[in-house]
PDB file of all heavy atoms in Angstrom:
ATOM      1  N   PRO A  26     101.460 114.969  43.347  1.00  0.00           N
ATOM      2  CA  PRO A  26     102.711 115.663  43.428  1.00  0.00           C
ATOM      3  C   PRO A  26     103.589 115.252  44.609  1.00  0.00           C
ATOM      4  O   PRO A  26     104.796 115.156  44.533  1.00  0.00           O
ATOM      5  CB  PRO A  26     102.323 117.112  43.477  1.00  0.00           C
ATOM      6  CG  PRO A  26     100.864 117.140  43.689  1.00  0.00           C
ATOM      7  CD  PRO A  26     100.302 115.842  43.222  1.00  0.00           C
ATOM      8  N   GLN A  27     102.912 115.003  45.784  1.00  0.00           N
ATOM      9  CA  GLN A  27     103.751 114.680  46.969  1.00  0.00           C
ATOM     10  C   GLN A  27     104.438 113.346  46.748  1.00  0.00           C
ATOM     11  O   GLN A  27     105.591 113.151  47.166  1.00  0.00           O
ATOM     12  CB  GLN A  27     102.841 114.609  48.223  1.00  0.00           C
ATOM     13  CG  GLN A  27     102.356 115.951  48.678  1.00  0.00           C
ATOM     14  CD  GLN A  27     100.960 116.283  48.133  1.00  0.00           C
ATOM     15  OE1 GLN A  27     100.541 115.753  47.108  1.00  0.00           O
ATOM     16  NE2 GLN A  27     100.306 117.235  48.818  1.00  0.00           N
ATOM     17  N   ALA A  53     103.773 126.456  46.391  1.00  0.00           N
ATOM     18  CA  ALA A  53     103.124 125.215  46.756  1.00  0.00           C
ATOM     19  C   ALA A  53     104.099 124.039  46.808  1.00  0.00           C
ATOM     20  O   ALA A  53     104.105 123.233  47.758  1.00  0.00           O
ATOM     21  CB  ALA A  53     101.966 124.885  45.756  1.00  0.00           C
ATOM     22  N   MET A  57     105.365 121.638  49.972  1.00  0.00           N
ATOM     23  CA  MET A  57     105.331 120.156  49.887  1.00  0.00           C
ATOM     24  C   MET A  57     106.697 119.589  50.188  1.00  0.00           C
ATOM     25  O   MET A  57     106.859 118.603  50.933  1.00  0.00           O
ATOM     26  CB  MET A  57     104.898 119.681  48.522  1.00  0.00           C
ATOM     27  CG  MET A  57     103.461 119.968  48.188  1.00  0.00           C
ATOM     28  SD  MET A  57     103.123 119.426  46.487  1.00  0.00           S
ATOM     29  CE  MET A  57     101.574 120.245  46.150  1.00  0.00           C
ATOM     30  N   ARG A 150     102.880 123.235  34.445  1.00  0.00           N
ATOM     31  CA  ARG A 150     101.603 122.493  34.356  1.00  0.00           C
ATOM     32  C   ARG A 150     101.151 122.436  32.894  1.00  0.00           C
ATOM     33  O   ARG A 150     101.413 123.336  32.126  1.00  0.00           O
ATOM     34  CB  ARG A 150     100.531 123.199  35.180  1.00  0.00           C
ATOM     35  CG  ARG A 150     100.765 123.169  36.688  1.00  0.00           C
ATOM     36  CD  ARG A 150      99.656 123.825  37.473  1.00  0.00           C
ATOM     37  NE  ARG A 150      99.523 125.239  37.175  1.00  0.00           N
ATOM     38  CZ  ARG A 150      98.546 125.761  36.478  1.00  0.00           C
ATOM     39  NH1 ARG A 150      97.587 124.988  35.962  1.00  0.00           N
ATOM     40  NH2 ARG A 150      98.490 127.082  36.215  1.00  0.00           N
ATOM     41  N   ARG A 151     100.478 121.311  32.552  1.00  0.00           N
ATOM     42  CA  ARG A 151     100.124 121.120  31.140  1.00  0.00           C
ATOM     43  C   ARG A 151      99.177 122.212  30.645  1.00  0.00           C
ATOM     44  O   ARG A 151      99.221 122.573  29.470  1.00  0.00           O
ATOM     45  CB  ARG A 151      99.461 119.741  30.985  1.00  0.00           C
ATOM     46  CG  ARG A 151     100.495 118.625  31.132  1.00  0.00           C
ATOM     47  CD  ARG A 151      99.872 117.223  31.092  1.00  0.00           C
ATOM     48  NE  ARG A 151     100.840 116.263  31.498  1.00  0.00           N
ATOM     49  CZ  ARG A 151     100.602 115.223  32.281  1.00  0.00           C
ATOM     50  NH1 ARG A 151      99.356 115.002  32.696  1.00  0.00           N
ATOM     51  NH2 ARG A 151     101.570 114.395  32.638  1.00  0.00           N
ATOM     52  N   GLU A 152      98.276 122.695  31.491  1.00  0.00           N
ATOM     53  CA  GLU A 152      97.273 123.661  31.020  1.00  0.00           C
ATOM     54  C   GLU A 152      97.833 125.068  30.858  1.00  0.00           C
ATOM     55  O   GLU A 152      97.127 125.972  30.402  1.00  0.00           O
ATOM     56  CB  GLU A 152      96.063 123.634  31.916  1.00  0.00           C
ATOM     57  CG  GLU A 152      96.320 124.251  33.295  1.00  0.00           C
ATOM     58  CD  GLU A 152      94.994 124.532  34.071  1.00  0.00           C
ATOM     59  OE1 GLU A 152      93.932 123.931  33.753  1.00  0.00           O
ATOM     60  OE2 GLU A 152      95.054 125.359  35.000  1.00  0.00           O
ATOM     61  N   PRO A 177     106.054 117.861  39.042  1.00  0.00           N
ATOM     62  CA  PRO A 177     105.091 117.156  39.914  1.00  0.00           C
ATOM     63  C   PRO A 177     103.651 117.685  39.736  1.00  0.00           C
ATOM     64  O   PRO A 177     102.669 116.972  39.953  1.00  0.00           O
ATOM     65  CB  PRO A 177     105.534 117.491  41.336  1.00  0.00           C
ATOM     66  CG  PRO A 177     106.972 117.922  41.210  1.00  0.00           C
ATOM     67  CD  PRO A 177     107.088 118.539  39.843  1.00  0.00           C
ATOM     68  N   LEU A 178     103.514 118.936  39.263  1.00  0.00           N
ATOM     69  CA  LEU A 178     102.179 119.551  39.121  1.00  0.00           C
ATOM     70  C   LEU A 178     101.650 119.470  37.697  1.00  0.00           C
ATOM     71  O   LEU A 178     100.673 120.156  37.336  1.00  0.00           O
ATOM     72  CB  LEU A 178     102.187 120.993  39.579  1.00  0.00           C
ATOM     73  CG  LEU A 178     102.641 121.274  41.008  1.00  0.00           C
ATOM     74  CD1 LEU A 178     102.649 122.777  41.264  1.00  0.00           C
ATOM     75  CD2 LEU A 178     101.729 120.607  42.017  1.00  0.00           C
ATOM     76  N   ALA A 179     102.272 118.620  36.872  1.00  0.00           N
ATOM     77  CA  ALA A 179     101.933 118.555  35.434  1.00  0.00           C
ATOM     78  C   ALA A 179     100.416 118.489  35.213  1.00  0.00           C
ATOM     79  O   ALA A 179      99.918 119.202  34.327  1.00  0.00           O
ATOM     80  CB  ALA A 179     102.667 117.407  34.767  1.00  0.00           C
ATOM     81  N   ASP A 180      99.695 117.703  35.990  1.00  0.00           N
ATOM     82  CA  ASP A 180      98.278 117.517  35.652  1.00  0.00           C
ATOM     83  C   ASP A 180      97.398 118.365  36.622  1.00  0.00           C
ATOM     84  O   ASP A 180      96.198 118.177  36.644  1.00  0.00           O
ATOM     85  CB  ASP A 180      97.895 116.053  35.703  1.00  0.00           C
ATOM     86  CG  ASP A 180      98.185 115.380  37.071  1.00  0.00           C
ATOM     87  OD1 ASP A 180      98.761 116.044  37.954  1.00  0.00           O
ATOM     88  OD2 ASP A 180      97.844 114.212  37.245  1.00  0.00           O
ATOM     89  N   TRP A 181      97.974 119.254  37.400  1.00  0.00           N
ATOM     90  CA  TRP A 181      97.117 120.085  38.247  1.00  0.00           C
ATOM     91  C   TRP A 181      96.589 121.285  37.500  1.00  0.00           C
ATOM     92  O   TRP A 181      97.206 121.793  36.533  1.00  0.00           O
ATOM     93  CB  TRP A 181      97.982 120.578  39.461  1.00  0.00           C
ATOM     94  CG  TRP A 181      97.857 119.666  40.665  1.00  0.00           C
ATOM     95  CD1 TRP A 181      97.581 118.343  40.609  1.00  0.00           C
ATOM     96  CD2 TRP A 181      98.009 120.034  42.042  1.00  0.00           C
ATOM     97  NE1 TRP A 181      97.619 117.820  41.894  1.00  0.00           N
ATOM     98  CE2 TRP A 181      97.817 118.869  42.752  1.00  0.00           C
ATOM     99  CE3 TRP A 181      98.264 121.227  42.685  1.00  0.00           C
ATOM    100  CZ2 TRP A 181      97.912 118.829  44.183  1.00  0.00           C
ATOM    101  CZ3 TRP A 181      98.343 121.216  44.067  1.00  0.00           C
ATOM    102  CH2 TRP A 181      98.145 120.006  44.813  1.00  0.00           C
ATOM    103  N   THR A 182      95.405 121.768  37.960  1.00  0.00           N
ATOM    104  CA  THR A 182      94.821 122.946  37.431  1.00  0.00           C
ATOM    105  C   THR A 182      95.274 124.129  38.283  1.00  0.00           C
ATOM    106  O   THR A 182      95.771 123.963  39.401  1.00  0.00           O
ATOM    107  CB  THR A 182      93.294 122.904  37.430  1.00  0.00           C
ATOM    108  OG1 THR A 182      92.887 122.784  38.826  1.00  0.00           O
ATOM    109  CG2 THR A 182      92.762 121.691  36.671  1.00  0.00           C
ATOM    110  N   TYR A 183      95.031 125.339  37.744  1.00  0.00           N
ATOM    111  CA  TYR A 183      95.363 126.561  38.514  1.00  0.00           C
ATOM    112  C   TYR A 183      94.566 126.498  39.876  1.00  0.00           C
ATOM    113  O   TYR A 183      95.106 126.859  40.922  1.00  0.00           O
ATOM    114  CB  TYR A 183      94.985 127.779  37.712  1.00  0.00           C
ATOM    115  CG  TYR A 183      95.533 129.077  38.176  1.00  0.00           C
ATOM    116  CD1 TYR A 183      96.927 129.303  38.233  1.00  0.00           C
ATOM    117  CD2 TYR A 183      94.699 130.144  38.550  1.00  0.00           C
ATOM    118  CE1 TYR A 183      97.431 130.516  38.684  1.00  0.00           C
ATOM    119  CE2 TYR A 183      95.216 131.357  38.959  1.00  0.00           C
ATOM    120  CZ  TYR A 183      96.558 131.564  38.999  1.00  0.00           C
ATOM    121  OH  TYR A 183      97.095 132.794  39.420  1.00  0.00           O
ATOM    122  N   GLN A 185      93.570 123.943  41.617  1.00  0.00           N
ATOM    123  CA  GLN A 185      94.126 123.021  42.550  1.00  0.00           C
ATOM    124  C   GLN A 185      95.329 123.605  43.253  1.00  0.00           C
ATOM    125  O   GLN A 185      95.549 123.381  44.457  1.00  0.00           O
ATOM    126  CB  GLN A 185      94.545 121.721  41.821  1.00  0.00           C
ATOM    127  CG  GLN A 185      93.399 120.803  41.520  1.00  0.00           C
ATOM    128  CD  GLN A 185      93.861 119.549  40.728  1.00  0.00           C
ATOM    129  OE1 GLN A 185      94.207 119.612  39.552  1.00  0.00           O
ATOM    130  NE2 GLN A 185      93.891 118.421  41.421  1.00  0.00           N
ATOM    131  N   VAL A 186      96.133 124.391  42.507  1.00  0.00           N
ATOM    132  CA  VAL A 186      97.326 125.015  43.117  1.00  0.00           C
ATOM    133  C   VAL A 186      96.849 125.984  44.210  1.00  0.00           C
ATOM    134  O   VAL A 186      97.385 125.948  45.354  1.00  0.00           O
ATOM    135  CB  VAL A 186      98.133 125.786  42.071  1.00  0.00           C
ATOM    136  CG1 VAL A 186      99.228 126.548  42.759  1.00  0.00           C
ATOM    137  CG2 VAL A 186      98.691 124.844  41.026  1.00  0.00           C
ATOM    138  N   TYR A 189      95.505 124.336  47.358  1.00  0.00           N
ATOM    139  CA  TYR A 189      96.584 123.906  48.234  1.00  0.00           C
ATOM    140  C   TYR A 189      97.153 125.075  49.024  1.00  0.00           C
ATOM    141  O   TYR A 189      97.389 125.000  50.245  1.00  0.00           O
ATOM    142  CB  TYR A 189      97.718 123.234  47.406  1.00  0.00           C
ATOM    143  CG  TYR A 189      98.822 122.679  48.244  1.00  0.00           C
ATOM    144  CD1 TYR A 189      98.801 121.364  48.698  1.00  0.00           C
ATOM    145  CD2 TYR A 189      99.902 123.508  48.746  1.00  0.00           C
ATOM    146  CE1 TYR A 189      99.797 120.858  49.518  1.00  0.00           C
ATOM    147  CE2 TYR A 189     100.870 123.003  49.542  1.00  0.00           C
ATOM    148  CZ  TYR A 189     100.859 121.669  49.952  1.00  0.00           C
ATOM    149  OH  TYR A 189     101.792 121.209  50.809  1.00  0.00           O
TER     150      TYR A 189
END
Side-chain angles (χ1 to χ4, degrees):
Q27 288 95 338
M57 290 178 197
R150 293 182 298 105
R151 290 176 191 138
E152 70 167 20
L178 301 178
D180 59 355
W181 268 28
T182 63
Y183 195 61
Q185 281 178 288
V186 174
Y189 184 94

